[in-house]
Amino acid sequence: MPQPLEAKITRKPKSKIQIEITKENFESFCDAVGLYRTPFLEALDSSERDHRAGRVTKRKSLHELIR
């Protein structure tokens, strides 16, 4: 069963969020956002294989991905 995570608001900007995670809660956070799920881990493996094989595209900006 996942461990409940504490949330503390340190400031409240209009367009951003800030998350602080203790070392003790890091694993629970990763589990809560899905970083241990099989599809995510498979996507990482696939990406690493593509990178090793030289199938990479250099980008100047992340905006290129949404155009």
Side-chain angles (χ1 to χ4, degrees):
M1 182 169 191
Q3 175 184 4
L5 299 175
E6 289 184 24
K8 179 182 174 186
I9 299 175
T10 54
R11 59 185 176 142
K12 191 177 176 181
K14 293 181 181 181
S15 62
K16 297 180 182 181
I17 62 169
Q18 181 177 350
I19 300 172
E20 290 186 15
I21 303 166
T22 64
K23 291 178 185 178
E24 294 79 21
N25 288 338
F26 182 71
E27 188 172 349
S28 294
F29 170 78
C30 290
D31 187 42
V33 297
L35 298 182
Y36 294 138
R37 293 192 179 131
T38 303
F40 180 75
L41 295 174
E42 288 171 352
L44 286 179
D45 289 339
S46 174
S47 176
E48 189 172 347
R49 283 191 302 272
D50 287 342
H51 182 39
R52 285 185 182 154
R55 294 185 297 264
V56 296
T57 304
K58 294 194 180 208
R59 303 282 183 197
K60 292 181 182 178
S61 167
L62 290 176
H63 286 292
E64 294 177 19
L65 296 175
I66 59 175
R67 290 184 187 174

